[in-house]
Amino acid sequence: MGFSIAWIAIRGKSKEDILAQLGLADTGAPDEANESPVSGAALPGGGYLVFFNDMAHPAVQAESMARLSEGGEALGCQVEEHIMASAAFQYKDGAKLWDVAHLSDEGLYHLAVDGAPPALLATIHAEMKATQDEQGGLEADVDCLFEVPLMLANALSGYRHDEAALLSGETLDFTELVPAASGKASKH
């Protein structure tokens, strides 16, 4: 089994505003392993992270990301390990700043870049391209460039979906999120 997930880190808005915008409510039930369809956690230093067990969840689509970023910023990441596809993207004040995507179907060295990503991307890309070369290039049994969007999103947010702790060493306390109309939510 592999991950087929997405997440969004939103800064500049309250948790309540984010959940209302997404039509979600917090049950308060812990979701330590992100097993619920949707879960969320407060980020250290402000902001809120929403985790989806659905790589193509409507919330990570361009229109939703633009709305979520109005008055703040939203960093998104998508991971589909079954086909070795990954993406990272950032929106600010309703506009997309950049996106970076790797699709192994397009080749082991594929990396699509749009907009103006942080300069750090060049360093990460060079490192993972060199690692792919060292592993045997196109003949390798690994897909090192899959990591590029994930490493960029991790560097910018501190969060990585397959690691227990943030880069800072802190951990997030995820709780289950449900559709607001479900009536299962409690006030928190």
Side-chain angles (χ1 to χ4, degrees), residues 1 30 79 82 92 99 101 112 121 127 137 146 167-168 174 184:
M1 260 179 76
V79 180
H82 304 98
K92 184 174 182 174
D99 68 54
L121 174 62
E127 175 186 333
F146 171 81
L167 287 175
S168 65
F174 283 95
K184 294 190 336 189

Side-chain angles (χ1 to χ4, degrees), residues 56-70:
H57 192 279
V60 296
Q61 304 309 313
E63 187 176 312
S64 177
M65 290 293 294
R67 279 194 316 273
L68 282 169
S69 73
E70 288 173 357

Side-chain angles (χ1 to χ4, degrees), residues 33-115:
N34 298 111
E35 294 174 342
S36 300
V38 184
S39 54
L43 291 166
Y48 192 71
L49 190 136
V50 184
F51 183 98
F52 305 94
N53 270 306
D54 176 0
M55 184 275 298
H57 192 279
V60 296
Q61 304 309 313
E63 187 176 312
S64 177
M65 290 293 294
R67 279 194 316 273
L68 282 169
S69 73
E70 288 173 357
E73 61 184 52
L75 173 69
C77 187
Q78 293 172 295
V79 180
E80 177 49 81
E81 290 183 348
H82 304 98
I83 60 169
M84 297 307 282
S86 59
F89 36 90
Q90 188 169 28
Y91 287 70
K92 184 174 182 174
D93 293 324
K96 181 174 80 170
L97 299 177
W98 55 267
D99 68 54
V100 176
H102 170 73
L103 304 170
S104 66
D105 287 353
E106 300 290 324
L108 289 178
Y109 287 94
H110 173 265
L111 193 69
V113 179
D114 185 42

Side-chain angles (χ1 to χ4, degrees), residues 100-166:
V100 176
H102 170 73
L103 304 170
S104 66
D105 287 353
E106 300 290 324
L108 289 178
Y109 287 94
H110 173 265
L111 193 69
V113 179
D114 185 42
L120 176 61
L121 174 62
T123 303
I124 294 170
H125 184 219
E127 175 186 333
M128 297 317 296
K129 185 179 178 299
T131 302
Q132 186 72 41
D133 291 343
E134 290 167 9
Q135 296 294 318
L138 295 175
E139 305 303 318
D141 290 332
V142 297
D143 181 349
C144 298
L145 275 79
F146 171 81
E147 292 291 323
V148 172
L150 308 181
M151 293 170 70
L152 181 59
N154 181 233
L156 297 173
S157 68
Y159 177 74
R160 187 169 163 117
H161 69 283
D162 57 359
E163 294 182 6
L166 299 174

Side-chain angles (χ1 to χ4, degrees), residues 1-25:
M1 260 179 76
F3 285 100
S4 180
I5 61 95
W7 58 263
I8 306 169
I10 303 114
R11 297 194 186 274
K13 290 185 170 188
S14 70
K15 171 185 170 182
E16 293 73 23
D17 287 345
I18 294 164
L19 294 181
Q21 204 164 358
L22 292 172
L24 296 171

